[in-house]
Amino acid sequence: MNRTTHSLLQDRQIRKYYTFLITFCLLLLMAATLFCRQLTDSAKTMLLSHDEAVASSLMKQGISENIIAKALTDDGAGQTQAGADLLKKLGIVPSLDAQFLPHLHSFRNHAWHLSLAALLPICLLLLGMSLHFLHKRDNLYRHAFSIIDHYIGGDYTRRLPQTDEGSIYQVFSSVDRLATMLQAQNETEYRSKIFLRNTISDISHQLRTPLAALSMYQEIMENEPDHPDVIQKFAVKTELALNRMEQLIESMLKITRLDAGSVVFEKRICNLSELVSRAVNELTTRAASEHKEIKLEGSSEETLPCDPSWTIEAIGNIVKNALEHTDANGTIHISWDTSPVTTRIMISDDGNGIAPEDIHHIFKRFYRSRKSSDTQGIGLGLSLAKSIIEGQGGTISVQSTPHVGTTFTLLFPS
């Protein structure tokens, strides 16, 4: 059995049809055997009837029984030209139509009726079963066409029949997989549109305030050309607003790239002590100017497989958040340790802490607690840090006690 035949026989409908054909052939063979037997019996009856008629006619003519018996049982070896000439003289030749030979005519009619009675039901059975098979096949195709039309219309809730094996069901399975891929692609495109819409809405909303401030500052400076102190004051405010816009746009672009999956983290083995030192290097001057202290604690031998530039960005954003919520003379404490499974970085402060109603929202974009409205942040640092850490397979969690302090815990797979 070759591969094509095996594939066809996997289809239950085709398998049933082949079973019917084999059964049909066996029935046809049995019918042919019975037909031959019936023809033999009919030929025997015709020959016996003919021999009886011949014997009766010869006996009436006074021919002896021995001669009649010899003539009737002759196997044909005694045929002579004289006998052939006699039959020819009587008009009994091979070209003579059977209807002029009563016994043969009767035999032919009987054979015809017998053939019709035997073959007609068999042909009707073959035709009926073939039509039944084709009807079921046509219904299957129509059902498949209906579902494919739904796929074309964007409705992927229905599924093609896959309850059996065979080539047609393999085709259905492939079409279903294609429909699933198209559905996933459509959902991805829809999410991308929603994401783009929300991103544009966030950026426009956040830029509205500094743009309005810049417009106001510009108007004030234009109206006070003779007051250098006023111009100087609002020039500083303009610079701060521009810096805020720059930070906002830069952070939003980074978060957008992370959310869109266009960032490929290039991991390599990094020394943890050097990594944290680089993350806080630019923040130590700010901490000193605000009379705050950043302390590092951990082995200088520990390493972490990560993308250094992005990880530095994440740690730096968390430290910035700690500086913003820590009063003067406060301390930000950064420690790290490793285990065979994970690497942990803890960033703690002794600042104001996070209110219980805010702690579940702090990683949301632009989220700012009512109690921290006077801080400098734009509300994207923690969200960006979370995206970076989780993008590298890590996790970030936070514990906080109001008026005691906050601890962020970063866990990375070792």
Side-chain angles (χ1 to χ4, degrees):
M1 183 183 296
N2 59 33
R3 184 174 179 180
T4 303
T5 304
H6 178 72
S7 178
L8 285 174
L9 292 179
Q10 286 182 322
D11 191 320
R12 183 171 56 185
Q13 290 184 359
I14 294 180
R15 193 163 59 243
K16 287 183 177 180
Y17 187 65
Y18 272 123
T19 302
F20 160 73
L21 288 179
I22 293 172
T23 305
F24 176 81
C25 291
L26 293 175
L27 290 174
L28 188 61
L29 181 60
M30 293 174 61
T33 303
L34 292 175
F35 180 70
C36 290
R37 182 174 296 178
Q38 288 291 331
L39 283 181
T40 302
D41 291 341
S42 296
K44 181 177 69 175
T45 301
M46 180 197 71
L47 290 174
L48 288 175
S49 177
H50 180 266
D51 289 347
E52 288 176 1
V54 172
S56 298
S57 178
L58 291 175
M59 289 178 67
K60 289 179 181 180
Q61 302 298 323
I63 306 299
S64 67
E65 293 181 357
N66 290 334
I67 294 175
I68 295 173
K70 185 177 180 182
L72 295 176
T73 57
D74 191 356
D75 58 0
Q79 291 179 350
T80 63
Q81 185 61 39
D85 292 339
L86 177 61
L87 291 177
K88 186 175 181 181
K89 185 177 180 180
L90 294 174
I92 302 175
V93 293
S95 60
L96 182 65
D97 194 273
Q99 64 179 341
F100 299 108
L101 300 172
H103 292 287
L104 186 58
H105 180 66
S106 176
F107 172 75
R108 186 181 68 174
N109 289 340
H110 180 72
W112 167 250
H113 292 143
L114 185 63
S115 300
L116 188 63
L119 293 178
L120 184 60
I122 293 176
C123 292
L124 291 176
L125 177 63
L126 177 61
L127 180 62
M129 289 301 297
S130 298
L131 288 175
H132 177 69
F133 169 76
L134 294 175
H135 177 69
K136 292 186 69 174
R137 216 61 175 170
D138 185 65
N139 286 341
L140 179 64
Y141 294 149
R142 289 179 182 274
H143 181 56
F145 291 152
S146 174
I147 295 175
I148 292 174
D149 284 339
H150 280 79
Y151 290 167
I152 294 173
D155 179 10
Y156 300 100
T157 58
R158 304 176 65 183
R159 285 290 176 265
L160 289 167
Q162 299 180 36
T163 56
D164 209 339
E165 298 179 349
S167 299
I168 187 63
Y169 293 100
Q170 292 175 2
V171 172
F172 289 168
S173 178
S174 297
V175 173
D176 254 0
R177 289 198 300 271
L178 177 60
T180 301
M181 293 171 61
L182 290 174
Q183 181 181 14
Q185 183 177 355
N186 287 344
E187 291 176 353
T188 300
E189 290 178 355
Y190 176 76
R191 287 196 299 269
S192 298
K193 290 179 181 179
I194 296 297
F195 169 74
L196 181 60
R197 185 187 67 187
N198 293 339
T199 300
I200 293 173
S201 176
D202 287 341
I203 292 175
S204 62
H205 176 74
Q206 294 299 320
L207 288 177
R208 190 176 295 117
T209 299
L211 284 173
L214 285 172
S215 178
M216 181 183 67
Y217 299 158
Q218 178 66 25
E219 184 178 352
I220 292 173
M221 287 188 290
E222 287 178 352
N223 293 332
E224 300 290 341
D226 299 326
H227 297 81
D229 55 333
V230 174
I231 294 176
Q232 178 64 30
K233 175 182 176 181
F234 283 97
V236 172
K237 290 187 175 184
T238 298
E239 183 180 3
L240 291 174
L242 289 172
N243 289 337
R244 178 182 173 85
M245 289 176 61
E246 182 181 1
Q247 293 175 11
L248 172 64
I249 294 171
E250 184 178 351
S251 296
M252 281 301 304
L253 289 175
K254 289 178 181 178
I255 290 179
T256 302
R257 289 176 59 201
L258 288 166
D259 288 348
S262 61
V263 173
V264 178
F265 292 102
E266 300 177 357
K267 291 187 178 182
R268 62 174 184 264
I269 303 300
C270 302
N271 183 278
L272 261 175
S273 179
E274 294 179 3
L275 194 73
V276 175
S277 296
R278 289 173 59 188
V280 301
N281 182 50
E282 296 181 0
L283 298 173
T284 53
T285 302
R286 172 184 169 182
S289 66
E290 296 176 358
H291 306 288
K292 303 169 187 176
E293 184 179 6
I294 299 176
K295 291 184 177 181
L296 308 183
E297 180 182 347
S299 171
S300 60
E301 304 298 325
E302 303 290 357
T303 59
L304 172 66
C306 67
D307 186 305
S309 59
W310 283 104
T311 306
I312 288 171
E313 172 91 16
I315 296 173
N317 285 343
I318 298 172
V319 175
K320 286 178 187 177
N321 180 79
L323 287 171
E324 290 166 3
H325 294 86
T326 301
D327 296 331
N329 301 316
T331 302
I332 291 87
H333 186 267
I334 306 174
S335 62
W336 57 89
D337 57 65
T338 61
S339 72
V341 179
T342 60
T343 297
R344 180 176 63 175
I345 301 174
M346 300 180 69
I347 303 172
S348 304
D349 64 64
D350 53 6
N352 301 322
I354 304 171
E357 64 269 20
D358 294 325
I359 198 165
H360 299 294
H361 305 284
I362 61 171
F363 293 111
K364 293 181 180 179
R365 297 178 191 175
F366 305 114
Y367 182 80
R368 294 176 65 83
S369 171
R370 290 174 298 174
K371 299 179 181 179
S372 61
S373 58
D374 57 341
T375 56
Q376 306 175 29
I378 58 175
L380 285 176
L382 294 181
S383 178
L384 180 56
K386 185 175 186 292
S387 296
I388 293 172
I389 293 165
E390 292 182 349
Q392 298 183 83
T395 61
I396 181 171
S397 60
V398 59
Q399 293 85 35
S400 183
T401 302
H403 310 296
V404 175
T406 302
T407 299
F408 286 88
T409 302
L410 287 59
L411 288 177
F412 295 89
S414 294

